[in-house]
């Protein structure tokens, strides 16, 4: 299992020294990494990601992808996470979505 740090600017080493985090700078890179390597054991989320696409893809977008990925692939795994974003509304939205998603996943695996 691996740990992921999703942030377009910050370095994981500053927040998690010597813990071997995989740093993803964009939503798209993070999605591709999960598709190739599976669900991480831990994710540290930023909300606001530099994104040049027409549709802004944020840490919240990635949280939604992760819940959908787990459900769609019928995986029995829930990862630990922290939202380190300086955006208070974005932080709250990510936490709310993940908590509800994990509750749904747990209720369907009992």
């Amino acid at each position: 299992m691996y740990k992921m740090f999703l942030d377009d600017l910050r370095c994981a080493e500053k927040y998690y020294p010597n813990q071997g985090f995989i740093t993803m700078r964009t939503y798209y890179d993070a999605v591709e990494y999960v598709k190739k390597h599976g669900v991480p054991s831990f994710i540290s989320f930023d909300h606001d990601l530099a994104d040049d696409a027409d549709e802004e893809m944020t840490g919240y977008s990635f949280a939604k992808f992760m819940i959908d990925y787990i459900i769609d692939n019928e995986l029995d795994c829930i990862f630990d996470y922290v939202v380190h974003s300086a955006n208070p509304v974005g932080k709250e939205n990510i936490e709310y979505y993940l908590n509800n998603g994990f509750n749904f996943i747990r209720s369907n695996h009992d």
Side-chain angles (χ1 to χ4, degrees):
M1 289 291 247
Y2 65 96
K3 299 174 187 175
M4 180 182 286
F5 187 78
L6 178 63
D7 198 300
D8 60 326
L9 299 173
R10 298 175 189 95
C11 293
E13 196 63 24
K14 179 179 177 183
Y15 300 92
Y16 306 100
N18 304 315
Q19 294 187 38
F21 273 73
I22 301 298
T23 298
M24 295 289 118
R25 299 292 184 196
T26 71
Y27 164 87
Y28 300 102
D29 289 344
V31 165
E32 286 306 310
Y33 199 89
V34 168
K35 287 180 179 178
K36 288 182 183 175
H37 301 280
V39 175
S41 60
F42 181 88
I43 302 174
S44 187
F45 286 87
D46 185 19
H47 180 272
D48 302 323
L49 304 173
D51 188 356
D52 296 333
D54 291 336
E55 181 182 350
E56 181 183 28
M57 302 307 280
T58 64
Y60 179 73
S61 306
F62 185 64
K64 289 171 45 177
F65 163 79
M66 289 302 302
I67 295 299
D68 289 346
Y69 184 84
I70 291 168
I71 292 169
D72 293 347
N73 290 286
E74 298 179 357
L75 302 175
D76 188 17
C77 60
I78 294 175
F79 56 87
D80 292 323
Y81 69 91
V82 166
V83 183
H84 65 263
S85 179
N87 177 331
V89 173
K91 178 181 184 340
E92 185 177 319
N93 287 341
I94 292 169
E95 292 171 342
Y96 183 79
Y97 195 89
L98 290 174
N99 288 335
N100 284 335
F102 290 153
N103 286 338
F104 176 80
I105 291 165
R106 284 185 192 105
S107 71
N108 286 305
H109 284 286
D110 292 341

